[in-house]
Amino acid sequence: MRKHIPQRSCIVCRLKVAKDELLRIVRCPDGSLSLDLSGRLPGRGAYVCDSVKCWETAVDRGAIQRALNVRLEVGAMDKLRSEFRDIALRMGVS
C-alpha cells in the first residue's frame, strides 16, 4: 500500500507537485511573514516553486500578498528576498 503524498500548487505558475518540493511562506499569528522550511509552522501558508523566476514574480507582482491576505512593506519584501537567496545558495537553486 502506498503512502499518501500531499500535493500543493505554486501560487505563481500553478504547478501541482508534492508539498515538500515547494517553499512555504507563512503568515504567523502575529502577522509577520517568514519562510517555513519545516512546513509545520502555525499560520496561513502559501507555496512557491523553488525557482528564482517564480520567487521573483511572487514578490514583485503581489502574489504573496493576495495568497496570504496581507500588505507587505518594502522591508518585509526585502527580508523574504534575502531569505530566499540564502536558501537558494544552500540548495543550489537556479
Side-chain angles (χ1 to χ4, degrees), residues 3-4 6-8 11 15 23 26 28 30 32-33 36 40 44 48 50-51 56-57 63 68-69 71 81 87-88:
K3 183 178 178 184
H4 172 72
Q7 301 283 303
R8 299 293 184 268
I11 61 172
L15 179 68
L23 293 172
V26 65
C28 299
D30 67 2
S32 65
L33 296 181
D36 178 12
R40 299 178 188 264
R44 182 172 178 87
V48 180
D50 60 357
S51 75
E56 291 294 326
T57 302
L68 298 177
N69 196 22
R71 291 194 55 81
R81 279 193 185 101
I87 291 169

Side-chain angles (χ1 to χ4, degrees), residues 60-77:
D60 293 340
R61 295 196 180 162
I64 294 171
Q65 294 180 56
R66 282 189 302 278
L68 298 177
N69 196 22
V70 67
R71 291 194 55 81
L72 289 178
E73 301 296 326
V74 175
M77 288 190 288

